Amino acid sequence: MTDMPTQLTTDFDVVLDRSDIAGALRLLAPHLARGCAEALFLPSSVPAGEDDADAEADSLASIKQAAERGYIPAT
């Protein structure tokens, strides 16, 4: 694990630039399963399609987890 953005961030951004939110989240799935801090951080700015308050709380929780795991952009 690295504490700075990797190719995962680049790939995630490329998919998002195509407006493929579902594809971007699928890209993260195996990394999330391993508890990757970068993968926890990346979807924090992606609209979840939920109630705004719930989405914001989930986003902040993900950012906090990423920071706790040492991912510098989350701090």
Side-chain angles (χ1 to χ4, degrees):
M1 190 217 53
T2 181
D3 56 3
M4 293 297 291
T6 66
Q7 185 65 41
L8 178 60
T9 293
T10 302
D11 295 344
F12 182 80
D13 289 343
V14 167
V15 177
L16 274 185
D17 286 346
R18 295 190 311 246
S19 299
D20 184 2
I21 294 172
L25 296 176
R26 279 192 305 275
L27 174 71
L28 296 180
H31 303 279
L32 288 168
R34 291 192 308 268
C36 171
E38 183 178 13
L40 285 166
F41 176 76
L42 288 171
S44 64
S45 63
V46 175
E50 304 169 9
D51 176 84
D52 286 343
D54 290 339
E56 184 174 349
D58 290 344
S59 176
L60 291 173
S62 293
I63 292 170
K64 182 179 178 196
Q65 284 180 341
E68 288 171 350
R69 292 174 189 221
Y71 190 61
I72 290 173
T75 59

